[in-house]
Structure formats: C-alpha cells, structure tokens
Amino acid sequence: MKTWGAIRSYPWVSLTLLALAVVLALESSGQSGPARWVATAFGAAVGLWVSVGMVRDLLRGHWGVDVLAVTAIAATLLVGEYIAALVVCLMITGGEALEDFAAGRARKNLSALLERAPQAAHRLLPDGAAEDVPLEAVEVGDRLLVRPAEVVPVDGLLAPGPDGRVVEAEFDESSLTGESLPVLRRSGDEVLSGALNGQQAVVLEATARPADSQYARILALVQEAAGSRAPLVRLADRYAVPFTVVAYLIGGIAWWASGDPVRFAEVLVVATPCPLLIAAPVAFLGGMSRAARNGVIVKSGGTIEALGSARTVAFDKTGTLTYGRPELLDVRPARTPAGGEVLTARELLRLAGSAEQYSVHVLADSIRAAAEDGGLGLLTATEAGEVATHGVTALLGGRRVIVGKPAYVRRHAPGLVPAELRPGESAVYVGVDGVFAGTLILSDRLRANAPATLAALDRLGVHSRMMLTGDAEATARYVADQAGITEVHAELLPEDKVRIVRQAAPGPVMMVGDGVNDAPVLAVADVGVAMGARGSTAASETADVVVIRDDVSRVAVAVAVGRRTLRVARESIWTGIALSLVLMVVAAFGLIPAVAGALSQELVDAVAILNSLRAMRPGRHEGVDAGVLVDRTAAEPADARAG
C-alpha cells in the first residue's frame, strides 16, 4: 500500500524509473535503436513538462534554474547520450520526492503538536460519573476529568478534592512553553490546554471553550507554519543566473576547444542545479522545527530568512519588556475647593473598577482586580464604550464615569490635575459626572531578563534597538534605561507605531508586541513577533512569529535560530555550487562520461540536503551565544494605558 501511495504521489518518478528500466533492458538485448527512441520520446516529454513551468516563470520575470535542467536534457539527447538524459530526468523528477522526504524530517517537531491534539473530553455528570463527549461539545463551567498521561483538552482551573482539600498535580508544559521540567499546579491554579497531565487523575473546571483555548490557538499557528512553502526564489534563485552563465560558459569553451559537442552535454549534466532547488527550503523547514522546540512558532520559511537578516528591533513596553501585570500602588481622590475629597478612596476605586469591566486594556484588569480584592462590589453599567488606547466611559447607577488617559478624561471632566509620579509609575485618571474625581497610581516592573535579551540581540547583530509605546515619556524612559534601550518613542497611537516602523532603518525591521493595539504594526514590520502566551489573538494572527512562552528571551533565541538557519542554507548552496563547478571543470576535459556525471550529481544533491538538515540541530553555543537568562520571576506581578 505504501508503494502504491508513493507511485500515486510521484507519478513522474515512477514513469522515469520504468523508462530507464525499459531502455537498459533493450540495450542489454542489443536493441539500441528502440532504446534510443524510447529514451528520446520520454526525455522530450519530461523536458516539455519542465519547460511549461519554466516559461511561466520567465513570463513573470523570474529567471530560475530550470533553464539548465531543460538544456541538459536537450543536449544529451541531441548528442546521443540518451541514458544520461534519463538520469537527468530522474534527478529532476526525483528532486520533489527527495525534498519531501527531507522536509518530512524537518517538520517532525513542528507537527508533533498536531499529532497529540485531544479529540474528546471526559465530562463529569452530577452523579460523579464521566461521559466521553466530542471536544467541541465542552462548554465553559463544565467539570472535566483528566486521567494520568492525558493531554488537557481545554483551558481550566484545577479543582479541589471531593472534601475541599487542596489538590497538587504536575503537568508537562514543554509543548507549550519549551520548559522541559514539569510544573506543579494547585487547586485554583490555571492549567492550559495542551499540557500533559502527570501520574494522577485530576478534575478541571473549564474556563474557555476548545476553540478559544491556548492549545487551539497554537495548533492553528502550527498548521499555518507547516503549510507554508520555503521561499526558494528569494535565496536559491539569487544564484541561478550567474550559475547558469558559468555552466554555459564552461560547456561552450569545452565544446570549442575539443570540437566535440558531447563535451557541452557532459558539462551541463553535472551542472544540473538540484542543490539550489532543494538546499534552502530544507534548511528553512529545519529552522522552523528548531524554533518550535524553543517555544517559538515561525509561520514561514521567508520569516526564518528575515529573522536571520534582521538589523533593527522595536519593542512595545507593557507586557513585552515589562511583565504586563501592573500593580495598583495608590488611590488618590481629587480635592474639592473646600479641601475635602470629591469621593472617598474606596468609592473612587469601586467606580473605576466597575467601569474597567468594559475595557480590554491590561490596566483595566489590574484596577478591576484591585477593586474585587478590596471587597468592593462592582456595579453593572447600563451603557458602556471604549475608545481604544484612550479610555472607557460607563453609566453606573446613574453616574457617568470616565477612566483613562489625562487628555481623554480632561475633555469630559475639566479641572484634571496631573499626578506627581516617580520613575516607573503610571497614572490612570477618573472623572465622574463631568468632575475630575481622582487618580489611580500603578507600576509595571521590567522583566528580569530583558536587559540580557537586549544585550544578546546586540551580539547577534541587531544593533539598532528602540521602544515604541503609548505610555508617558517619563515612564517609557525609565523602563528603557533599565533595559538598555536609547531610542524611545512614547505617547504613541497605533498609527504612529506603524509610521515609525515603516521609516526605521537599517532593515529588515523586527517588531515585538503583545496587545490588540500592536496588531497593525506587527503586520507592517518585516518580522512581526507576538508575545502570544498572554497576548491578544489579533496580535498573534497578524504576526509572523508567535512566542508561545511568556518569556521575552525567546525573541533572542528566534533570531539566533534564524541566523544559524540562514548560514546553513547558504553553506549548503555554496557546497553544491562548489562541487558542481569542480565536476564541470573535470567534465570539460572529457574525464567524466555523461552517465557517470549524472550519477555524481546525485551525490552532490545528497551532500547539500544532509548539510541543510543541520539546521534542525542546535548550534554549539545557541543558548550561550544568545546570552539569555531564564526569567524565574515571570509568574510574579510586574504602566499606562496602551503601553
């Protein structure tokens, strides 16, 4: 069955092998005439088949390496080297199968996530029994049994034991985060879908539907990455024109010097450019696989190439360079002209927390959580709306509450007094019924490994580094100084970020962000990198690279993988070119018969492919050269609206 499947998948390979067997059989029986006609007819058919694609490429203005292959077939047939012509046909038709085989090895790690995706869940009934249901039938709030060594089907909270006791369980999150050691979770902790349960059965309370869970988002990204094609044209075909010209030149000189047209055919046979066609895509796919093992999903081979060439990087601040979990430090009610407070601190926090229920900004979560932790009952709005990156307005118990940036609140509540802030602090302003009501002070800490990550990028050749943020200038400067960034652009709107990235130099330019407001700039950057572990779906969908671990150091690792992959791809191409040039020179002196030359070219192909597969393995100093520190405080709390 496997043999029949291979024949159906690669019919030209099968037909070429059949034609070669028939020709050899006819030759061995002394029937050279019929052998020549069979070989000529089949070689002409293959040449015509390849020529169709070649002409289409030429009409699109793309000069590829297929020109050499077609010329080699024609030349060998014209000078009577028809067995050599069939070997060249086998190289061309077998190149696709050889590429697929090598690519299959390179995709192995990339497809591992897809192969282990759960298809069903064990939902607990009220009587405690478990029923198996299709994964898509799981709803938020369902209690699910996860047996030992099973993959967690949806995001959920680890439930306590039957008697209310705290349950502790270990989960392998390596497929999600790249962290090799199991992590310990306790009752009430979040467990992400895709994690592998340890040695005990546990119960989870679903907090997201399957389609909205972490694992489903990662699977969608992996499918997109696995389906991408490496950009052969962008790298390999840069060498196509000079390689073709050199081959024709050597072949022409050999023909002129010897007076024998067979020499021209013998040179072109060994010049068949399979290494150029195969080496780069195999290396790129290997690099994508290597990145996936490091918790980084790269969506295309073109992105791997851009990562390896990046010269400028721009970072968002909140949730990217900082932890993105601001802490509420102080509540400062505004003063009335008589010296009293417009609202008490508790009233101010309650109204602000209630309004922030209707915002998607990261600061809203911190303010809302602080109000809930303080035992303040949140109010339900009769109407609410948010102006992205500016603030939110809500009607709460008949009172109109405005929460957000100072310019936004001042338009609705004159009399706003700017807060006095220390470095690293941010202020969110509140207006109630047209009156300035007070200020909430928050702070977001720099990620512990951010300075090491920036230093690593500098060592990797990304010397131009900047911060793009919607936050206040003073706060942005404070964080940038800690991280080691000198170029800071603060108080930006999304369109400002897009403009700056488009004008940034030198390129390629890489942008790293995590929020909804970062989606446009991630889309226009040469390489958009989304911190997707906690970032928005919009950012992940528009980005070229998604870091599935909440760790900014993965950005440096991605660049290191890209650099190594691009180096391996170039080495493979140049190795193939060098070996082909040697064979061409030898063939020019008539020392390699056409058939032997065609077979020797297969060895050149094998060398190029095997070298390309090195991209799947880590470099000797991949982790050390990146200079990245593992952030052990990433789970701990870490700025202003739209950072």
Side-chain angles (χ1 to χ4, degrees), residues 290-588:
R290 180 67 197 158
R293 276 187 279 179
N294 280 280
V296 180
I297 299 297
V298 180
K299 295 184 179 180
S300 73
T303 299
I304 280 283
E305 184 177 351
L307 276 171
S309 308
R311 293 293 178 269
T312 297
V313 62
F315 285 92
D316 173 48
K317 182 179 72 63
T318 304
T320 304
L321 289 174
T322 65
Y323 287 104
R325 293 184 287 269
E327 300 170 297
L328 181 65
L329 302 181
D330 194 13
V331 180
R332 302 177 185 175
R335 297 286 177 176
T336 65
E341 295 180 342
V342 175
L343 295 171
T344 67
R346 289 179 62 81
E347 290 173 330
L348 179 63
L349 180 57
R350 184 189 187 203
L351 289 175
S354 299
E356 294 284 41
Q357 294 178 100
Y358 305 97
S359 171
V360 297
H361 193 270
V362 63
L363 290 178
D365 288 334
S366 299
I367 295 171
R368 183 172 60 247
E372 291 175 338
D373 292 344
L376 306 177
L378 300 184
L379 304 173
T380 301
T382 53
E383 63 178 75
E386 181 177 25
V387 178
T389 79
H390 289 284
V392 63
T393 301
L395 191 61
L396 301 162
R399 309 180 78 176
R400 185 163 296 278
V401 180
I402 296 94
V403 184
K405 283 185 173 179
Y408 179 72
V409 175
R410 187 180 285 116
R411 288 200 299 268
H412 302 278
L416 181 146
V417 178
E420 295 183 4
L421 301 174
R422 292 177 295 182
E425 293 181 346
S426 299
V428 173
Y429 297 86
V430 184
V432 178
D433 292 332
V435 177
F436 173 56
T439 310
L440 306 178
I441 308 300
L442 301 99
S443 179
D444 188 10
R445 293 189 295 115
L446 182 75
R447 292 179 184 267
N449 60 351
T453 300
L454 270 295
L457 288 170
D458 184 64
R459 287 194 294 274
L460 289 165
V462 188
H463 302 306
S464 178
R465 302 177 301 280
M466 66 180 76
M467 177 193 289
L468 309 181
T469 177
D471 204 356
E473 178 80 20
T475 299
R477 287 283 177 190
Y478 176 73
V479 172
D481 289 343
Q482 287 182 303
I485 297 176
T486 56
E487 185 177 350
V488 178
H489 301 270
E491 301 179 20
L492 302 177
L493 296 175
E495 54 265 34
D496 298 324
K497 294 183 179 182
V498 169
R499 173 180 50 80
I500 292 170
V501 166
R502 279 179 170 161
Q503 297 173 352
V509 179
M510 179 168 59
M511 175 69 200
V512 187
D514 79 321
V516 174
N517 60 311
D518 292 321
V521 69
L522 292 176
V524 301
D526 296 313
V527 184
V529 181
M531 298 287 290
R534 297 186 301 106
S536 73
T537 301
S540 297
E541 288 179 350
T542 57
D544 306 294
V545 178
V546 179
V547 177
I548 60 176
R549 179 176 180 179
D550 191 19
D551 182 359
V552 72
S553 74
R554 300 296 99 183
V555 176
V557 172
V559 173
V561 171
R563 289 277 197 272
R564 172 173 163 75
T565 301
L566 194 55
R567 184 170 64 250
V568 169
R570 285 172 175 158
E571 287 174 358
S572 300
I573 289 173
W574 277 111
T575 297
I577 288 175
L579 292 174
S580 294
L581 285 173
V582 171
L583 290 174
M584 278 190 276
V585 172
V586 175

Side-chain angles (χ1 to χ4, degrees), residues 64-331:
V65 289
D66 287 341
V67 176
L68 264 181
V70 173
T71 309
I73 294 174
T76 48
L77 289 175
L78 288 173
V79 298
E81 295 285 352
Y82 50 89
I83 294 180
L86 290 181
V87 176
V88 174
C89 292
L90 183 60
M91 281 194 296
I92 295 172
T93 58
E96 181 185 358
L98 198 57
E99 178 184 344
D100 286 350
F101 171 75
R105 286 196 59 194
R107 293 179 194 269
K108 183 177 180 181
N109 290 287
L110 205 60
S111 61
L113 287 171
L114 297 172
E115 294 171 355
R116 64 195 293 271
Q119 304 297 320
H122 315 302
R123 184 165 56 193
L124 292 178
L125 301 174
D127 61 2
E131 64 169 350
D132 288 349
V133 297
L135 194 61
E136 57 271 18
V138 175
E139 298 290 343
V140 174
D142 284 351
R143 289 171 59 82
L144 306 175
L145 174 67
V146 183
R147 298 187 175 115
E150 283 189 340
V151 175
V152 176
V154 298
D155 296 350
L157 300 178
L158 186 60
D163 54 357
R165 63 180 173 82
V166 174
V167 172
E168 294 185 346
E170 287 189 338
F171 295 88
D172 178 358
E173 297 182 352
S174 59
S175 63
L176 300 174
T177 66
E179 178 60 57
S180 59
L181 297 176
V183 295
L184 183 67
R185 302 296 183 203
R186 295 179 175 85
S187 298
D189 288 350
E190 183 181 27
V191 180
L192 296 178
S193 58
L196 184 67
N197 188 22
Q199 300 303 312
Q200 68 180 84
V202 296
V203 176
L204 294 182
E205 182 177 329
T207 57
R209 300 188 70 256
D212 303 321
S213 292
Q214 176 76 4
Y215 199 53
R217 294 196 294 270
I218 293 174
L219 290 179
L221 292 170
V222 172
Q223 287 174 320
E224 183 177 349
S228 70
R229 296 289 293 177
L232 322 193
V233 176
R234 298 182 61 190
L235 183 62
D237 282 359
R238 295 172 192 171
Y239 307 93
V241 173
F243 184 78
T244 302
V245 171
V246 169
Y248 283 159
L249 184 62
I250 294 175
I253 292 173
W255 185 357
W256 172 79
S258 66
D260 185 1
V262 174
R263 294 283 181 89
F264 181 73
E266 289 173 346
V267 170
L268 292 192
V269 164
V270 296
T272 304
C274 286
L276 295 184
L277 293 171
I278 300 173
V282 170
F284 290 154
L285 287 167
M288 292 164 66
S289 173
R290 180 67 197 158
R293 276 187 279 179
N294 280 280
V296 180
I297 299 297
V298 180
K299 295 184 179 180
S300 73
T303 299
I304 280 283
E305 184 177 351
L307 276 171
S309 308
R311 293 293 178 269
T312 297
V313 62
F315 285 92
D316 173 48
K317 182 179 72 63
T318 304
T320 304
L321 289 174
T322 65
Y323 287 104
R325 293 184 287 269
E327 300 170 297
L328 181 65
L329 302 181
D330 194 13
V331 180

